[in-house]
């Protein structure tokens, strides 16, 4: 009997993918930092029973129409806006993601990004490396305090709550805006539910952890930035398309807000030529929210277990339901 065929769109740890090798023939794109070309992905999808995909892979109708054998897609991410889930489901294809595993790791990175931006840590490090440190000065590379300030979190899901928990250790006041109130966050963390506009106007740090939806696309635009304090710092560890990048650039250049820390962008990857990267008050990271060895290995293993479960006729652990 022919074994199922699995294609993995980026080089992953074979040790973490062991559940797949037990049940299928596995083929993997050999590069870690270079995406699998679209034409190859389409070719592999035509014969694949399962796909292990990255957030950067577009799993659209064109691909799904070609993938006549496909039974399961496991996305190495919490998000799944790169996959046409309803269309996949209509073809009987199960879609899985990797929630929960990366909650604390992403929260660590988000708060680290906030600290780095507020205290100008990246600038300070480069200042020393470029041999510019000649003497001590009272306001040399002075930044903004984080402790006892107000943080506003858009998206009080599990990652949002984990960020809020870290904020309480800095004696911060926690505001949040969500589609619905999160009573657990209010009870356990003292978070205060506000309107979006009130959160923008009163927070010293605005942290975006919202998923990309029709409602959140370009939610952070010129109108939103104008409502923020001039001393406010904007942090985005959610989705790049939630921000109008041109409006953010103008807000930073015109002094409407003080700084931005960004782990996600509209069109990734970006380089030094990106307008936001050249600004001294921007910390730009290459989408590394969940990038710890422990977390990424666990995500790979969960993807493998989900695919193996479906191919064996069982229910996967983390099926996407919309």
């Amino acid at each position: 009997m022919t074994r199922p065929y699995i294609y993995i769109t980026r080089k992953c740890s074979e040790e973490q993918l062991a559940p797949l090798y037990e049940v299928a023939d596995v083929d993997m794109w050999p590069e870690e930092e270079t995406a699998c070309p679209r034409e190859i992905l389409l070719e592999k999808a035509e014969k694949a029973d399962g796909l292990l995909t990255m957030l950067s892979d577009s799993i659209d109708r064109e691909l799904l129409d070609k993938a006549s054998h496909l039974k399961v897609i496991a996305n190495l991410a919490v998000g799944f806006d790169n996959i046409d889930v309803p269309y996949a489901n209509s073809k009987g294809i199960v879609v899985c993601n990797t929630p929960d595993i990366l909650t604390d790791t992403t929260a660590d990175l988000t708060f680290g990004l906030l600290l780095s931006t507020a205290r100008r840590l990246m600038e300070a490090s480069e200042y020393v490396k470029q041999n510019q440190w000649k003497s001590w000065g009272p306001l040399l590379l002075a930044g903004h305090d984080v402790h006892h300030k107000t943080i506003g979190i858009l998206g009080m899901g599990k990652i949002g709550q984990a960020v809020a928990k870290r904020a309480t250790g800095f004696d911060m006041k926690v505001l949040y805006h969500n589609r619905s109130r999160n009573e657990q966050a209010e009870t356990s963390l003292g978070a205060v539910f506000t309107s979006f506009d009130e959160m923008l106007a009163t927070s010293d740090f605005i942290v975006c952890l919202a998923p990309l939806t029709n409602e959140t696309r370009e939610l952070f635009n010129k109108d939103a930035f104008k409502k923020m304090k001039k001393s406010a710092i904007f942090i985005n560890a959610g989705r790049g398309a939630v921000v109008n990048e041109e409006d953010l650039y103008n807000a930073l250049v015109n002094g409407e807000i003080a700084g931005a820390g960004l782990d996600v962008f509209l069109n990734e990857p970006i380089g030094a030529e990106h307008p936001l990267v050249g600004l001294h008050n921007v910390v730009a990271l290459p989408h590394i929210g969940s990038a710890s060895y422990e977390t990424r290995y666990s995500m790979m293993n969960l993807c493998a277990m989900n695919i193996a479960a479906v191919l064996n006729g069982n229910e996967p652990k983390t099926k996407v339901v919309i």
Side-chain angles (χ1 to χ4, degrees), residues 263-285:
D263 187 42
V264 291
F265 296 85
L266 178 60
N267 296 308
E268 299 177 358
I270 64 165
E273 73 285 350
H274 192 287
L276 287 166
V277 174
L279 299 181
H280 73 90
N281 53 349
V282 170
V283 175
L285 303 181

Side-chain angles (χ1 to χ4, degrees), residues 49 57 119 319:
D49 297 279
D57 298 317
R119 293 301 306 273
K319 178 180 177 180

Side-chain angles (χ1 to χ4, degrees), residues 83-100:
I83 302 172
D84 190 335
V85 177
Y87 194 64
N89 291 165
S90 75
K91 289 179 165 290
I93 301 168
V94 177
V95 178
C96 305
N97 63 342
T98 58
D100 302 334

